[in-house]
Amino acid sequence: METKDVIINLRTARGLSQEALAERVFVTRQAVSRWETGETTPNTETLKLLSGLFGVSINTLLGAPRRLICQCCGMPLSEDGLISRETDGSFNEDYCKWCYDGGEFAYKSKDALVDFLMSHMPNPDNVPDETRRAQYDAWLSQLSHWAK
């Protein structure tokens, strides 16, 4: 879905006119009209305001052009309900809600996350624990949170 369609759908679902939406995000009605015709796209600051107003991520507003994955555990962030939030309630599209929430990381170290994975992920092929641990470590090391 394109940004223009996302904005139209969100606005109409909430019963807002173009003028009412414009007032809430501090732009003109004409700006909203241009977004909805696809002539322009909201700027970064306006996308943040729209994200907060509609309760959706910026990625969703842009028509989900990026495939988001948690940069802590590697889980695909396929819907907004999986994306973490900051203390102010805004989305943090870098992490899932289980790894990061309200400004706090759930895992203090990569080893703590590997320990969690070892005890909670299935092992149907009976891969030796040492091999599994090395595989998890190698995968997690590719994510920006642990690559530091």
Side-chain angles (χ1 to χ4, degrees), residues 12-130:
T12 57
R14 284 162 180 77
L16 295 172
S17 66
Q18 287 183 342
E19 188 169 331
L21 175 58
E23 287 176 9
R24 292 189 183 185
V25 294
F26 312 106
V27 298
T28 64
R29 185 204 54 77
Q30 291 82 359
V32 174
S33 177
R34 286 192 299 272
W35 302 337
E36 293 184 355
T37 61
E39 186 180 331
T40 62
T41 304
N43 66 32
T44 304
E45 290 306 310
T46 305
L47 284 168
K48 289 178 185 178
L49 292 171
L50 290 166
S51 173
L53 176 66
F54 292 133
V56 298
S57 68
I58 291 173
N59 195 51
T60 294
L61 285 169
L62 295 175
R66 300 177 292 149
R67 181 175 174 260
L68 301 175
I69 65 165
C70 176
Q71 292 301 304
C72 181
C73 71
M75 184 176 95
L77 302 174
S78 56
E79 57 188 62
D80 287 349
L82 302 175
I83 298 173
S84 68
R85 299 231 182 206
E86 295 291 350
T87 53
D88 65 2
S90 64
F91 285 96
N92 181 326
E93 296 181 354
D94 291 331
Y95 302 104
C96 71
K97 66 181 183 179
W98 294 283
C99 288
Y100 180 84
D101 186 42
E104 296 284 328
F105 284 99
Y107 305 100
K108 302 302 180 200
S109 68
K110 183 170 50 170
D111 286 336
L113 178 52
V114 170
D115 289 342
F116 177 85
L117 295 171
M118 290 293 293
S119 64
H120 289 86
M121 295 300 290
N123 185 10
D125 297 328
N126 294 316
V127 175
D129 284 352
E130 186 175 299

Side-chain angles (χ1 to χ4, degrees), residues 1-12 35-38 60-61:
M1 188 179 292
E2 293 183 49
T3 301
K4 65 181 186 169
D5 301 316
V6 173
I7 292 173
I8 291 169
N9 290 343
L10 291 169
R11 178 181 62 76
T12 57
W35 302 337
E36 293 184 355
T37 61
T60 294
L61 285 169

